[in-house]
Amino acid sequence: MTTYRDAVRTAIQTLLREDPRVFLMGEDVGRYGGPYAASKSLLKEFGEERVRDTPLCESTFVGAGIGAALGGMRPIVEVMTVNFSLLALDQIVNNAAVLRHMSGGQFEVPIAVRMATGGGKQIAAQHSHSLENWYAHVPGIKVLAPATVQDAHDMLLAAVEDPDPVFVFEHQMLYGIEGPLDTEATPPSPWKAAIRRHGTDVSLIAYGGSVHKALTAAEELGKEEVSAEVIDLRSLRPLDRDAILESVSRTHRAVVIDEAWKTGSLASEISAILAEDAFYELDAPVARVCTVEVPIPYAKHLEEAAIPQVDRIVEAAKRSVGGG
Amino acid sequence: MTLDISRDHVLDLLRDMIRIRRLEEKSAELYSKQKIRGFLHLYIGEEAVGVGALHALREDDNIVATYREHGHALIRGIPAGEIMAEMYGKANGCSGGRGGSMHLFSAERRFYGGHAIVGGGLPIAVGLALADKMKGESRVTACFFGDGATDEGEFHESLNLAALWKLPVLFLCENNEYAMGTALYRHVSDRDIANNPPAYGIPADSVNGMDVVAVERAVHNEAELVRETSQPRFLELKTYRFRAHSMYDAELYRSKEEVEEHKKEDPIESLRERAMSDGLITQADIDAIEADTAKEISEAVEFAERGDWESVEDITRHTYARDLS
């Protein structure tokens, strides 16, 4: 068994070993070993040229990553957390996403940007955002959200190999989870959703940290004779519409779980996809379990109440099944 | 002061400044005829900066420019026809009609745009230089930006990072005294822009950006020092734009007298006068350049007129390497 953190670290190590164009940069990725210890000991193996501690200038070191990618390198840029990535939004949205297009396809930006996301650690409103949907909104970039140890490894390899800018969101509550890691197996396409648990009564559609809560909810529901299917979206842009529609056309019910605020969320997007393309398949209204519309509070009971929890997922699924 | 350069060299510099001037004048005309749309930022008055700098740089050096970059693109070697076609939005434009006036690109000429977020090109230039340094290349990345960009956090962050990591970037500040319509003294606390870089350990100098010979010499010296030391340097080019910021600008923020005063330093006129008084060139030389340029610009317009509109069916092209849908 391997931790999610070590899976990320193994992927970075493999990439650095195998491709001289790859380098890692970000705040505290070197001597500190990474704020989540995902790059521990890599400085020792690869040196300061390829494991670069940056100044605290998110916009400029992401921009420098974009420039280095234009210049033929394959940078892995760590932005520590999605909260700080807001300082780099200009470079991401106005440069990374558009340079291929604005240049008529002459240039490409093969950059991989990693960051932690999500709440659950009582670190309050400035350190608990889930803003993956902001990025998934933008054509020209791709967005991945590994929920498993295997995906944490495989998706980073795929992100660096990809010719387009790829953003990888690692939920901060997942770094410590353990799971099997097979570094030899051919990984499935990172751009496709996965069925993590088969079921027949309701589809629980989730990504990242929420996948595990959906799986626990599915177990609870099983005790009450409700067979829940759990879809892990994996890729947030492109979204695997076919997988969503295929699952819901079998279960006829959908609960979308998203740690973002409900308004303008990916859960909203998925609900709209179901309304557009699975309207006649639905036996109950689509339900969304999202974060309460409040900056994430510090106090433990309030934070827990704000973000999606297993009981709210169970409740929404039961309402969907019972009220169909 | 006598010009210390050859006749051929004077003619090259004059020709390139005239080419930019005439391209820009034609662009303004075509804008009023609605052939060119969107934003159009003319370089008229500032030609000595782009021409001097690009003559000083090597073909293999990287160029990062701003949204006022038609001149840089032209002198870098992008054909006038491809620039004009891009402004028309045609498929035969240098960015396939996807970028327009503010986003001219050429991979083969290492011309990395055409950036329209003020200050946004600086981190890109730092990254290009980082890639070169890591690959052991000896090229310089020349990064153009205006005085307005020095207000941005990315300017200060980029100077810091380039100095910290010892990257071969030549920062070229085209100070035309206005951040759009806000005068220098209204937008920076220290009007001497070259005072900034030394705070980051970057040597900085200023040069008269209306004097193409002085610009070429200064940029050449700075670029070669960047190349030798693999460390960043900074050059301020003091210039002035004779035309409005863009075609939407009513120029309420400056007087006609101020503009007229600066036109006395017209970079083309001043070089022509100096070269003629030194006996290096004659009016016949100017006439020949004007005739050649008129032909080049008229052919460029024809090239743009003849170009195809890209099919709407291909609208999502170039969003990703491979279409996602």
Side-chain angles (χ1 to χ4, degrees), chain A residues 20-23 25 49-50 52-73 87 90-91 94-95 97-108 138-142 162-165 237-238, chain B residues 86 94-96 98-100 103-108 110-115 117-135 153-155 157-158 160-161 164-165 167 315-322 324:
Chain A
R21 300 171 303 170
V22 173
F23 66 99
M25 68 169 159
E49 273 286 293
R50 299 185 70 207
R52 290 180 171 263
D53 283 321
T54 64
L56 310 193
C57 55
E58 289 79 4
S59 188
T60 288
F61 72 70
V62 170
I66 294 166
L70 286 169
M73 302 300 282
L87 291 157
D90 166 49
Q91 287 297 328
N94 283 316
N95 284 339
V98 304
L99 285 173
R100 175 190 293 282
H101 180 258
M102 284 200 318
S103 67
Q106 292 180 78
F107 289 108
E108 60 183 24
V138 183
I141 62 180
K142 298 177 179 176
D162 201 90
D164 291 307
R237 187 180 191 95
Chain B
E86 187 56 35
C94 61
S95 306
R98 298 295 182 128
H103 306 299
L104 307 175
F105 288 88
S106 173
E108 61 173 303
R110 297 191 164 277
F111 193 80
Y112 290 88
H115 293 267
I117 302 295
V118 172
L122 280 93
I124 302 280
V126 170
L128 284 164
L130 173 61
D132 284 335
K133 180 143 190 163
M134 291 184 77
K135 291 192 290 188
E154 283 178 331
F155 167 76
E157 292 179 3
S158 294
N160 181 48
L161 193 59
L164 181 70
W165 286 355
L167 301 176
I315 190 168
T316 59
R317 260 180 96 197
H318 307 313
T319 306
Y320 295 99
R322 287 176 293 279
L324 293 188

Side-chain angles (χ1 to χ4, degrees), chain B residues 5 9 20 37 50-51 53 66 93 149 158 204 222 224 256 280 298 304:
Chain B
I5 57 175
H9 196 162
I20 296 176
R37 300 277 73 198
V51 171
T66 71
S158 294
E222 295 295 331
E224 292 319 303
K256 287 198 168 59
L280 281 170
S298 117

Side-chain angles (χ1 to χ4, degrees), chain A residues 15-16 19-20 22-24 46-52, chain B residues 134:
Chain A
L15 288 158
L16 286 166
D19 189 342
V22 173
F23 66 99
L24 173 70
F46 300 100
E48 287 183 353
E49 273 286 293
R50 299 185 70 207
V51 179
R52 290 180 171 263
Chain B
M134 291 184 77

